[in-house]
Amino acid sequence: MYTYLVHDQLRKRLSERGDAINGKWGMFLLAYEAHAESITQSFDELACLKWLPNILPFPHQVDTAKRVINELRGRALLADEVGLGKTIEAGLILKEYMVRGLVKKTLILVPASLVLQWTRELNEKFAVNAFAQRNEWSWTSYDVLVASLDTTKRDPHRSIVLGQEYDLVIVDEAHKLKNNRTSNWQLINRLRKKYLLLVTATPVQNDLKEVYNLIQLLRPGQLGNANEFASQHIIGKRTPKNPEALQSALQTLMVRNRRKENQLNFTDRHVEAILLDLSKEEMTLYKAISDFIKTEYQTRTSTRRSVLPLITLQREICSSSYAALPTLSKLQKDPHLTGTAQKRLREISELAEQVPSYTKVVRTIELARQIDDKLIVFTEYRATQDFLLYMFQQSGVKAVPFRGGFKRGKKDWMKDLFEHRAQVLIATEAGGEGINLQFCNQVVNFDLPWNPMRVEQRIGRVHRLGQTRPVYIYNLATKDTIEEHIVHLLQEKINMFEAVIGELDVILGAQAFEQELLQTFVESGNEREVSARLNVLSKRVRRTPATTAKER
């Protein structure tokens, strides 16, 4: 296997030395060189490093590959923070196993937008003959195949994949396997594989059971059964009983490198909050929606109905009235709403349609012109994205969209257009996941997610290993709104830009954090009370696992 893998490179080396490679003597030299190259001083060392002329891995990436191969036996959760090169680590592990003759048949499952990116990197950086899946015949035609997880889980592809055996399976963005009742999880669980790598920067998002489900894929029973895990490690859905004990248990299968623990040369990161004054019409609309949310929140909590639509509406109106209109329409059809509430919603919809101009949109276009360089504008909402695209085009600034609904080829086309022709990429959350955009160093958060992890994922598209320029992040927020409080809370209190994702308490608080923000807003009588309550919330979120355990 080793001779097969490196024979092309050996042939080139022998030719450069002037040695003939034809006939028995040439083949002997080829075999001899291959055998000599396969001899290493220590089994713990990586033999593949000498065959990677197009990449120089960082020490933490080499250490991770060694640990996965030598200690974790090829089954691991690669959970480095955003931008530290988890793809490189997975590539090193794959290449080393191929060099050692332990892996031949490999399946790599990734989001559709990352299929060609993975394929290119394996070929160009690791000299691995990887192919992108394109049809039913691809599954049996290639030894190393990169495919979309969504495509793979559907028949007839699913049946073909489950009918084969794999030496190694790699799953990128593996947090999509967090629920063991989904077809994603069940597919990976049923695959016949010797080694398995799960790659994600966020192994836990909303529930401790998520990390348990990932570990069950890697090594069933490692953390006991579900009841045993719950009794040993869980107090509440998002509260670990003993964070230190849980982290210790996870160390047997998880590798997590952090920026602050590695001496890495990241470029500087400059963050600026841009506070804007809403127009009279925009402020009237915002107050009307906020008053409705406060009244409806009290009604829903007293009747134990979901407040999720209210959280969505409050976040959408901070983005644009275009983003809020679909939710306003759905709420009007809610049979539980009183006649008064439905009438108020109709009035609000009319106010939304009468806004003549949009302060945040105008400022974003001004920023693009001032920067006069590649710029990524992130928004959470498709309606806002479409409106921004229209306004940029009307202003003569070339912009292209990027969103999850695009097929694989269109995503690659949009990325290529952004790099070579357009100045602005307007991306939804799909643009904050996985793709590398180091050729850009300017980011505008048109609207801020209430989840710090998502903000870091956005910035991680440009502020990662390989970025050579300082990175500039502009967070837009409107004065006298909940958005103003959130931008200060995220930047100054939680310190989201300084690697807080690694702390268990922060990881587990995402969904609960959003609901607490809304609760703080609707239950506060004035701006001073909002600020005071958010300050208390930020202090609690910032506590480290060690502090939390001690206090308990």
Side-chain angles (χ1 to χ4, degrees):
M1 172 66 75
Y2 189 92
T3 305
Y4 168 76
L5 285 170
V6 302
H7 97 286
D8 285 337
Q9 291 161 290
L10 285 172
R11 281 178 180 272
K12 182 178 180 181
R13 183 186 300 178
L14 290 171
S15 297
E16 290 173 350
R17 280 190 351 210
D19 293 324
I21 55 176
N22 297 319
K24 294 182 179 180
W25 177 246
M27 294 307 296
F28 169 77
L29 287 176
L30 190 63
Y32 174 81
E33 291 271 355
H35 179 71
E37 292 289 350
S38 68
I39 299 174
T40 58
Q41 296 297 318
S42 169
F43 187 77
D44 294 335
E45 296 302 315
L46 298 184
C48 71
L49 294 178
K50 66 184 71 175
W51 299 107
L52 302 176
N54 298 323
I55 183 175
L56 181 62
F58 287 89
H60 76 275
Q61 295 168 339
V62 174
D63 291 341
T64 294
K66 288 180 181 178
R67 186 179 171 213
V68 170
I69 292 171
N70 299 325
E71 298 178 24
L72 306 186
R73 293 175 287 177
R75 285 180 168 255
L77 177 60
L78 303 182
D80 290 1
E81 289 178 343
V82 177
L84 290 184
K86 295 181 290 295
T87 303
I88 299 299
E89 293 169 354
L92 282 173
I93 294 166
L94 167 61
K95 184 71 173 182
E96 182 65 20
Y97 272 136
M98 294 179 75
V99 164
R100 295 187 183 193
L102 297 174
V103 163
K104 182 178 180 183
K105 187 75 170 176
T106 301
L107 177 63
I108 302 167
L109 300 176
V110 304
S113 60
L114 304 182
V115 170
L116 293 184
Q117 178 174 295
W118 267 85
T119 305
R120 290 193 193 104
E121 290 205 5
L122 288 174
N123 278 278
E124 295 171 4
K125 295 182 179 179
F126 296 95
V128 170
N129 291 323
F131 297 86
Q133 183 272 332
R134 298 188 182 279
N135 49 49
E136 293 180 34
W137 296 274
S138 299
W139 304 110
T140 54
S141 300
Y142 306 112
D143 285 336
V144 181
L145 190 69
V146 184
S148 159
L149 177 59
D150 288 335
T151 297
T152 308
K153 70 183 181 184
R154 297 194 301 265
D155 279 326
H157 309 289
R158 181 175 181 273
S159 299
I160 300 172
V161 169
L162 292 178
Q164 300 185 83
E165 293 186 4
Y166 294 94
D167 298 311
L168 172 63
V169 172
I170 301 173
V171 184
D172 195 11
E173 305 297 340
H175 47 268
K176 295 183 179 180
L177 309 176
K178 62 186 179 183
N179 187 341
N180 63 2
R181 294 187 296 273
T182 63
S183 56
N184 286 344
W185 191 93
Q186 291 168 9
L187 170 68
I188 304 304
N189 190 48
R190 289 191 58 190
L191 280 174
R192 290 182 288 171
K193 66 274 184 189
K194 180 166 55 175
Y195 305 121
L196 175 63
L197 299 178
L198 303 181
V199 182
T200 175
T202 53
V204 185
Q205 292 179 312
N206 299 313
D207 191 334
L208 277 166
K209 291 181 181 177
E210 295 169 3
V211 73
Y212 173 79
N213 290 333
L214 293 178
I215 298 303
Q216 280 292 95
L217 289 172
L218 291 167
R219 199 170 297 166
Q222 177 72 17
L223 299 178
N225 59 38
N227 292 333
E228 291 171 341
F229 175 77
S231 63
Q232 293 176 18
H233 298 293
I234 300 178
I235 293 177
K237 185 177 180 180
R238 303 178 182 90
T239 308
K241 180 178 290 185
N242 186 334
E244 292 176 330
L246 178 57
Q247 287 182 334
S248 178
L250 293 177
Q251 289 301 311
T252 60
L253 281 167
M254 183 175 77
V255 180
R256 184 170 181 83
N257 294 301
R258 302 181 186 177
R259 297 187 182 199
K260 63 183 180 182
E261 295 171 352
N262 294 275
Q263 300 299 317
L264 300 172
N265 295 320
F266 280 93
T267 58
D268 292 337
R269 181 186 289 191
H270 304 279
V271 183
E272 180 182 348
I274 300 177
L275 296 179
L276 305 171
D277 291 303
L278 289 176
S279 67
K280 179 181 177 181
E281 294 84 358
E282 288 174 309
M283 182 56 73
T284 299
L285 173 63
Y286 175 81
K287 288 182 177 179
I289 287 181
S290 298
D291 290 342
F292 171 81
I293 289 173
K294 289 183 179 182
T295 302
E296 184 65 15
Y297 181 86
Q298 302 300 331
T299 302
R300 286 178 179 253
T301 52
S302 63
T303 57
R304 297 185 177 180
R305 290 163 56 208
S306 173
V307 298
L308 182 59
L310 303 181
I311 295 175
T312 301
L313 181 59
Q314 185 67 70
R315 292 170 59 186
E316 287 172 340
I317 195 57
C318 289
S319 176
S320 71
S321 58
Y322 280 86
L325 282 172
T327 300
L328 288 170
S329 178
K330 290 179 183 178
L331 283 170
Q332 289 180 46
K333 300 175 184 178
D334 186 344
H336 296 96
L337 281 184
T338 64
T340 302
Q342 289 180 340
K343 179 182 177 182
R344 188 61 183 142
L345 281 175
R346 286 194 293 271
E347 294 171 349
I348 290 172
S349 295
E350 292 175 2
L351 287 174
E353 293 172 355
Q354 294 170 5
V355 175
S357 63
Y358 300 88
T359 302
K360 290 173 73 174
V361 174
V362 172
R363 185 69 181 102
T364 303
I365 294 173
E366 289 175 354
L367 267 175
R369 287 174 170 158
Q370 291 170 9
I371 291 169
D372 193 26
D373 197 357
K374 300 292 182 183
L375 173 69
I376 305 173
V377 179
F378 278 108
T379 176
E380 291 197 273
Y381 306 104
R382 166 76 180 273
T384 299
Q385 182 189 45
D386 289 340
F387 184 58
L388 279 168
L389 185 64
Y390 171 78
M391 293 301 291
F392 268 109
Q393 290 173 339
Q394 292 297 306
S395 302
V397 179
K398 291 184 178 179
V400 292
F402 191 99
R403 54 176 171 259
F406 289 163
K407 292 184 178 180
R408 181 200 310 171
K410 190 168 184 179
K411 288 179 178 178
D412 291 320
W413 182 36
M414 292 298 106
K415 179 181 174 182
D416 185 70
L417 285 175
F418 175 48
E419 182 172 5
H420 299 290
R421 297 188 182 183
Q423 181 192 350
V424 179
L425 180 74
I426 306 173
T428 59
E429 293 304 318
E433 191 174 72
I435 63 172
N436 302 330
L437 300 167
Q438 292 101 317
F439 57 84
C440 174
N441 71 324
Q442 309 271 353
V443 174
V444 170
N445 286 309
F446 186 85
D447 44 54
L448 279 171
W450 291 6
N451 181 344
M453 289 182 295
R454 290 182 182 173
V455 181
E456 182 63 31
Q457 285 175 336
R458 289 178 173 185
I459 298 167
R461 297 310 100 221
V462 299
H463 198 221
R464 56 196 301 113
L465 292 175
Q467 177 60 263
T468 59
R469 297 181 292 171
V471 172
Y472 297 88
I473 301 104
Y474 307 93
N475 295 323
L476 301 188
T478 47
K479 294 180 183 178
D480 301 322
T481 69
I482 189 173
E483 197 172 44
E484 180 180 3
H485 293 288
I486 288 175
V487 72
H488 290 303
L489 179 67
L490 292 179
Q491 284 186 203
E492 299 173 12
K493 304 300 183 183
I494 300 178
N495 202 13
M496 65 178 175
F497 299 121
E498 294 299 332
V500 298
I501 299 175
E503 306 297 347
L504 268 177
D505 278 2
V506 176
I507 290 177
L508 299 176
Q511 202 171 71
F513 181 60
E514 294 178 2
Q515 187 159 337
E516 285 193 63
L517 280 176
L518 181 65
Q519 184 178 351
T520 296
F521 174 70
V522 299
E523 293 181 355
S524 299
N526 52 51
E527 291 296 305
R528 181 177 297 178
E529 187 177 347
V530 171
S531 297
R533 292 184 62 167
L534 288 179
N535 188 52
V536 172
L537 176 60
S538 69
K539 288 180 179 178
R540 179 174 60 77
V541 173
R542 289 183 67 193
R543 291 180 302 179
T544 63
T547 303
T548 306
K550 185 177 179 180
E551 290 176 357
R552 293 192 182 112

